[in-house]
Amino acid sequence: MRNRRRARAVCACGALLSPAHARTGPWVNKVRKPVDVPNCTAAVAAAIARPSTCVPDGWALLSMTNAHHAPLQALQFERVASLSCLMTRLVRICYGTVQTVPDTFGTCVYGPHVIPSDYRRSQYVSLNWAKWPFFLDALLAAPHILWIEADVVILRNPFEALLGTPAERERTLTHAIRYQGEGPPCRESAPGVGDGYANESAVSGCDRAGKPHDEPLNCGQLVVNSRRLARAIWDARPDNFTNGAFSQQHYANVEKERWPHSYLPITFYSFHWRGTKVRRPCGLTTYHITGLSDSKSKANAMRIMLKQTAGCANATG
């Protein structure tokens, strides 16, 4: 990992998660080697220089994978792979070789092999932290980035929802960070509104109320417009990465409070939103398979969503 000047941490570095979120076992506090993040600035500069009829000027779409998660990315982009105006703005960090991580979608910037790392195992926390130096390099070339993790099915051009109304456009272009909500859009504490979402929408309804989430920002789907914010989160990282400690998502939740921030449109959906039902799958923009801990289960859930939306008018795969 490249050396960068560090600021004071925003919280107690290395503090263990609550029992509901921490792994147990002899390896929970084993120090994990940071992932070496290849520089992507030139690739992002080349991507945003390419004309696009469906992605605004100055925007890059980012993702990341290793050989273990490469099958998820095949499902992630299945629906939009033929949308060349979107793929031309995609830059991925690919940990492995062209044989283990094919250069199939967008532009691959290759990095060293990273071992299989499912939820809080092996290099899981280190790999999650690697997105922030990726963002720092990308934001040297692009004013705006949209980050979508490998376990997110992209069902249509996401920029349609991000810029589709004046209100969404204003938030997308001016807020330092936008994010998928961690908790479901069904809240008992604020009738009609929860975690920045309307409780009822054209695509979603609520089966039961839930409690507000302590850390509502989920890092699986992000718009990032501020390199200073990305730098602050990266600088707050702990001295050592362990799978039992707070992940980068905790630090992002703390830091976001100092900046203009907002939820992504509700059509950037989450599999883990318990108590909700998808009323109209064809109205979804993305579907994030968070809440499942292994890649096989995630792939199965992604295939189910692709099958459910196969007849949608936005289907291009």
Side-chain angles (χ1 to χ4, degrees), residues 1-14 34 129 133 136 230-241 251:
M1 182 176 290
R2 290 160 293 172
N3 291 325
R4 299 178 188 273
R5 189 174 180 180
R6 302 279 300 279
R8 288 181 64 85
V10 294
C11 69
C13 294
W129 268 109
L136 287 171
R231 165 65 74 183
I233 294 169
W234 176 239
D235 283 348
R237 67 195 184 279
D239 293 329
N240 297 308
F241 295 157
Y251 295 83

Side-chain angles (χ1 to χ4, degrees), residues 25-305:
W27 306 108
V28 68
N29 291 320
K30 180 181 178 180
V31 175
R32 306 291 175 167
K33 181 181 178 181
V35 171
D36 186 12
V37 182
N39 188 287
C40 71
T41 305
V44 172
I48 66 170
R50 290 191 282 268
S52 172
T53 58
C54 67
V55 179
D57 291 345
W59 282 88
L61 173 62
L62 306 183
S63 194
M64 183 169 64
T65 192
N66 60 359
H68 182 64
H69 294 125
L72 298 183
Q73 281 215 315
L75 296 168
Q76 173 179 41
F77 294 116
E78 179 176 314
R79 187 57 49 77
V80 294
S82 63
L83 194 60
S84 59
C85 60
L86 181 65
M87 294 292 100
T88 195
R89 295 292 186 86
L90 170 64
V91 176
R92 297 184 296 147
I93 286 185
C94 300
Y95 289 105
T97 66
V98 70
Q99 288 76 32
T100 59
V101 186
D103 191 4
T104 309
F105 310 106
T107 300
C108 256
V109 179
Y110 283 94
H113 173 73
V114 174
I115 62 177
S117 304
D118 282 330
Y119 183 71
R120 293 203 171 272
R121 295 178 182 275
S122 302
Q123 291 296 96
Y124 173 83
V125 168
S126 298
L127 194 58
N128 271 283
W129 268 109
K131 65 167 63 71
W132 295 102
F134 184 14
F135 295 173
L136 287 171
D137 289 340
L139 288 164
L140 287 173
H144 314 282
I145 58 174
L146 171 61
W147 160 260
I148 300 184
E149 287 186 347
D151 61 349
V152 179
V153 184
I154 304 175
L155 297 167
R156 64 172 69 228
N157 177 9
F159 293 95
E160 295 174 359
L162 290 174
L163 304 168
T165 68
E168 291 293 355
R169 183 180 183 85
E170 188 274 335
R171 287 188 284 265
T172 295
L173 294 178
T174 65
H175 286 188
I177 190 166
R178 302 196 70 189
Y179 47 90
Q180 173 212 307
E182 179 72 10
C186 301
R187 290 287 174 261
E188 63 185 15
S189 60
V193 177
D195 269 11
Y197 297 117
N199 274 1
E200 301 289 323
S201 74
V203 298
S204 172
C206 298
D207 292 327
R208 63 181 185 272
K211 296 183 181 299
H213 201 283
D214 291 339
E215 295 191 344
L217 180 153
N218 183 287
C219 284
Q221 305 185 82
L222 299 171
V223 165
V224 184
N225 295 317
S226 171
R227 194 170 185 272
R228 288 176 58 208
L229 175 143
R231 165 65 74 183
I233 294 169
W234 176 239
D235 283 348
R237 67 195 184 279
D239 293 329
N240 297 308
F241 295 157
T242 68
N243 284 329
F246 284 120
S247 75
Q248 47 81 41
Q249 190 162 286
H250 166 77
Y251 295 83
N253 268 283
V254 173
E255 182 61 30
K256 81 176 191 307
E257 295 301 322
R258 300 178 53 239
W259 305 80
H261 61 92
S262 59
Y263 291 80
L264 290 167
I266 196 172
T267 58
F268 288 74
Y269 217 77
S270 172
F271 172 86
H272 196 50
W273 283 348
R274 306 305 186 194
T276 67
K277 55 182 178 289
V278 179
R279 287 174 167 166
R280 191 167 63 86
C282 289
L284 299 180
T285 299
T286 62
Y287 194 64
H288 184 192
I289 313 300
T290 185
L292 298 179
S293 62
D294 65 277
S295 294
K296 183 178 179 180
S297 298
K298 286 176 179 283
N300 287 337
M302 293 169 85
R303 291 188 188 97
I304 290 171
M305 179 49 64

